[in-house]
Amino acid sequence: MINEVNPDLLGIQEGIYEQVNYMAEHLPEYGRYGVGRDDGLNRGEANAVFYKKSRFELLESTTFWLSETPDEVSMGWDAAFHRIVTMVRLLDKSSGRELYFYNTHFDHIGKVAREESGKIIVQRMKNSIPENATVVLTGDFNAGHNDPILGPIEDYMTSARRAAPVTDSLNTFNGWGKIAPEGGGKIIDHIYFRNLVPLLFKTLTDAYSGVEYISDHYPVIAIFSLKDARNQEARHESSK
């Protein structure tokens, strides 16, 4: 799927250490950053980020936990698991602009944890990056696109699904084929942005290499445009 879709940026969820290493080995054109959520190293699932090395230079990378103590390994509120946010700051070589890419996975059990997680992400963005920064946030939010717990994020960022002129309303969770793409009841994977122009949002329901379901979620992809200082249009493709 990655080779066929060929995204410039890719965020994953639920990647165990062996899987992330396998992806890195078989995707040599991508750089990667991501740590295990249970120890900040290699234990537990990672929300790893992969980026095209020909397109981007990695300037900064960090992880924080969705909890009351985000700068240390910790579990927040009523969450069932450790939950993290992976952030990379990248230099887009084609435009000379910087891009902040955040990737996360909200807890599936703790309602308070989901409510507070969005607040933490927005607060960290406001406190640590410029107001005019180019930002993308991807993730499995375990919350529907109309769920009020996403309010803090939607107040600060824009949903690519809603804003793109070419888009869809397909479910992103399929339960290994138990839930049909149509219906709009399980749209829980989202791409948000700031200071970009959305061109397309798509839920990828195709089969790849003859495998009908490559995950219990469908990947989603957004295509954006970015004007650089010379007013030349550069394309960014961000998927999760």
Side-chain angles (χ1 to χ4, degrees):
M1 185 276 291
I2 296 169
N3 285 330
E4 184 172 324
V5 177
N6 195 32
D8 295 321
L9 291 167
L10 177 76
I12 68 168
Q13 294 81 45
E14 300 189 26
I16 61 175
Y17 196 63
E18 291 81 2
Q19 291 173 318
V20 176
N21 284 342
Y22 179 91
M23 291 179 66
E25 178 184 353
H26 289 82
L27 296 168
E29 68 273 30
Y30 288 86
R32 69 96 182 260
Y33 169 72
V35 303
R37 67 188 184 186
D38 292 342
D39 64 354
L41 297 170
N42 54 28
R43 285 185 54 243
E45 297 173 359
N47 300 333
V49 171
F50 292 78
Y51 57 92
K52 280 282 188 71
K53 291 184 287 187
S54 61
R55 179 71 186 268
F56 297 105
E57 177 186 346
L58 180 64
L59 301 178
E60 178 185 358
S61 58
T62 189
T63 299
F64 60 92
W65 276 257
L66 294 172
S67 75
E68 299 93 328
T69 53
D71 294 313
E72 59 187 56
V73 179
S74 50
M75 195 179 302
W77 305 282
D78 54 350
F81 296 104
H82 294 101
R83 299 294 184 177
I84 58 175
V85 179
T86 302
M87 189 283 288
V88 294
R89 179 168 63 95
L90 302 166
L91 175 65
D92 177 11
K93 299 176 184 178
S94 67
S95 68
R97 296 275 296 274
E98 291 186 6
L99 169 70
Y100 293 81
F101 187 79
Y102 292 75
N103 184 46
T104 191
H105 187 182
F106 282 13
D107 199 69
H108 66 305
I109 297 294
K111 181 179 178 181
V112 175
R114 291 195 298 275
E115 291 174 343
E116 296 299 323
S117 292
K119 297 175 185 178
I120 284 183
I121 291 172
V122 171
Q123 181 183 49
R124 299 281 289 213
M125 287 179 176
K126 288 181 176 180
N127 291 343
S128 62
I129 64 177
E131 176 68 19
N132 63 347
T134 301
V135 190
V136 174
L137 168 65
T138 62
D140 172 1
F141 293 84
N142 275 307
H145 60 302
N146 292 319
D147 194 316
I149 70 135
L150 296 176
I153 295 173
E154 302 234 346
D155 288 344
Y156 185 67
M157 308 187 77
T158 302
S159 165
R161 178 188 293 274
R162 287 200 178 105
V166 179
T167 189
D168 64 49
S169 58
L170 300 180
N171 292 326
T172 64
F173 179 73
N174 63 60
W176 299 107
K178 296 177 183 177
I179 300 174
E182 297 80 11
K186 284 287 185 177
I187 302 174
I188 59 176
D189 301 276
H190 310 294
I191 298 176
Y192 293 99
F193 67 93
R194 280 176 61 85
N195 299 312
L196 285 163
V197 179
L199 303 177
L200 175 144
F201 179 94
K202 186 176 182 181
T203 306
L204 304 179
T205 61
D206 296 338
Y208 297 93
S209 298
V211 179
E212 187 173 5
Y213 301 102
I214 60 174
S215 169
D216 61 339
H217 292 238
Y218 292 117
V220 294
I221 187 166
I223 299 178
F224 300 99
S225 70
L226 170 67
K227 300 276 188 176
D228 67 14
R230 299 179 301 277
N231 289 323
Q232 295 174 333
E233 187 170 274
R235 287 165 64 94
H236 291 273
E237 296 184 6
S238 304
S239 75
K240 73 137 304 281

